[in-house]
Amino acid sequence: MKKFMDENFLLETSTAQDLFHNHAAKMPIIDYHCHLIPEMVANDHKFKSITELWLGGDHYKWRAMRTNGVDEKYCTGTETSDWEKFEKWAETVPYTFRNPLYHWTHLELKTAFGIDKLLSPKTAREIYDECNEKLQQPEYTARGFMRRYNVECVCTTDDPIDDLRYHKQTRESGFEIKMIPAWRPDKAMAVDNTKNFAEYVNKLGEVAGVSIAKFQDMIDALQKRHDFFHENDCRLSDHGIEEFYDEPYTDSQIEIIFEKAMRGQELSQQEIRQFKHCMLTIFAEMDHASDWTQQFHYGAIRDNNSLMFKKLGPDTGFDSIGEFNTAKAMSHFLDHLNAEGKLTRTILYTLNPCANEVIATMLGNFQDGSCPGKIQFGSGWWFNDQLDGMTRQMNALSVLGLLSRFVGMLTDSRSFLSYPRHEYFRRLLCNLLGNDVEKGLLPDDKESLYRMVEDISYYNAKNYFKF
């Protein structure tokens, strides 16, 4: 019987073990999409407890705890202590067998704190105390964890109205790890709620120093902020969308929609989709002009539980995979940009694994030889960043594209303990290749295999994003 999470965890062959230990594991981490709080990096945040570090903002864990019958006060409540919350998480962990949380939990304990014990009610107190004791040491801070995991660069997720003060502070502090902003303009196209949209546009105008009366004024303000982000080293955008949009529109129609939204008038679904289509196109043109990479995360149905949304707000664990018939709209969107000579480097992420082959075949339609893998199939995302989901994504890309040109993994996380997801991914990658070699499906060409593993783990991202 193989020991749980030993040094060859997920590595089933000697070839896989060689690829991981001698090549993938040594590569630095470029975490090109995450949700870290920049202020924590700038101020080298010191965590008061493992609960703050591990459970604060982690909707994955909250979902599991709720499913295990844990009261909400132990998830997001303010009236319970850090120990009480940790204790409830420890009670839940043994019930997460075969859920990726079980692997992540123990990989994080092992790599961050050197703890090999299994977390359970029996071990909860000693693990809690040991983690908290180590968190008092100077190397167990936000920056310390980034150093521990050999991070070279992170790209945060930032709204156009953000002043990026913490990115500047981090850069000026001399911190050796790059923290780069990424442009996330979702609120500038969120006309579903016209009241919130109008408030946002007014804030945008104030920050940009633009009086916004017409649609073009808003675009001018966004362009000023886009330029500001570029001046502060931003080279990526990211868009969280339900689906791609294909509704035709005219300039006059968009102006009318904008004016109605600013007055707080309710819009039709057709008008909402026209506006979002227009905004995605304009954002893509901005990114091309600045030689950025654009990312599209699509396929989530967010905030399904309206009662809990009103109580807790977004990003609290009430989202799910959606079903959207978006292949043609995606094709038309990319084709329009390509025909206009305005299609920049693009990464497509689907939350629904049923669309893996859709994206994997879409890539080849718009590769133009200007750079390797110009159009990318993003790594298994959110509900898919686990053993089965990442394997399925890599298999689809392998069969229908060039896995060798893949830019690899990202954490997409708010936690400074999520970097082991890169290790998890690299182990799976090495296992896939190692199994193929030992089955005779790939040659035992060590030079090519070593290069492929190192490229996907690190070099492809480094070259693709031009950091």
Side-chain angles (χ1 to χ4, degrees), residues 39 52 75 94 98 104 109-110 175 180 199 202 264 276 281 288 291 296 306 332 351 364-365 382 386 414 425 434:
E39 182 179 2
E52 179 196 2
C75 301
R98 304 203 81 242
W104 291 348
L109 283 175
K110 183 174 184 177
F175 184 41
I180 297 173
E199 290 176 356
N202 290 329
K276 291 186 175 185
T281 301
H288 178 269
D291 194 26
F296 297 99
S306 58
H332 293 164
L351 195 58
N365 298 331
W382 199 343
Q386 30 76 9
R414 293 166 176 78
F425 167 84

Side-chain angles (χ1 to χ4, degrees), residues 32 244 293-296 298 330 334 343-350 356 358-364 366-367 371-379 393 397 402-409 455-456 460-461 463-465:
Y32 56 88
F244 285 86
T293 298
Q294 59 185 353
Q295 302 175 89
F296 297 99
Y298 84 93
M330 180 196 302
L334 297 173
L343 180 59
T344 192
R345 294 179 303 281
T346 302
I347 307 178
L348 302 167
Y349 306 82
T350 177
N356 281 352
V358 170
I359 288 186
T361 54
M362 190 68 68
L363 308 179
F366 301 103
Q367 308 287 13
C371 71
K374 177 181 176 179
I375 315 299
Q376 288 275 332
F377 182 6
S379 181
Q393 184 270 348
L397 179 57
L402 296 181
L403 180 64
S404 297
R405 292 303 189 180
F406 180 31
V407 293
M409 187 57 177
D455 282 348
I456 296 172
N460 285 349
N463 296 328
Y464 184 79
F465 295 112

Side-chain angles (χ1 to χ4, degrees), residues 214-274:
K214 297 181 178 180
F215 177 69
Q216 186 57 48
D217 297 334
M218 185 182 78
I219 301 305
D220 292 343
L222 286 166
Q223 183 64 64
K224 288 185 69 172
R225 299 306 296 167
H226 199 278
D227 295 341
F228 172 76
F229 269 57
H230 189 83
E231 291 164 4
N232 283 275
D233 299 330
C234 179
R235 296 296 181 270
L236 295 90
S237 69
D238 182 68
H239 307 268
I241 54 177
E242 281 195 349
E243 56 183 311
F244 285 86
Y245 307 97
D246 198 27
E247 284 69 21
Y249 59 85
T250 64
D251 292 344
S252 60
Q253 286 175 320
I254 297 300
E255 186 64 53
I256 291 171
I257 294 169
F258 175 76
E259 290 175 0
K260 287 175 67 175
M262 292 301 290
R263 290 194 299 266
Q265 293 180 236
E266 186 175 347
L267 302 174
S268 69
Q269 282 301 307
Q270 174 74 3
E271 289 174 320
I272 290 170
R273 295 177 68 88
Q274 285 178 309

Side-chain angles (χ1 to χ4, degrees), residues 451-463:
R451 182 176 63 248
M452 182 177 183
V453 164
E454 292 179 4
D455 282 348
I456 296 172
S457 298
Y458 172 69
Y459 289 111
N460 285 349
K462 188 174 182 69
N463 296 328

Side-chain angles (χ1 to χ4, degrees), residues 47-56 82 86 109 113 127-129 131-132 135 145 417:
F47 300 92
K48 65 176 183 177
S49 74
I50 181 62
T51 303
E52 179 196 2
L53 174 60
W54 225 11
L55 292 172
D82 282 6
F86 186 86
L109 283 175
F113 297 98
I127 289 176
Y128 181 77
D129 290 342
C131 288
N132 287 345
L135 285 172
F145 285 117
L417 284 188

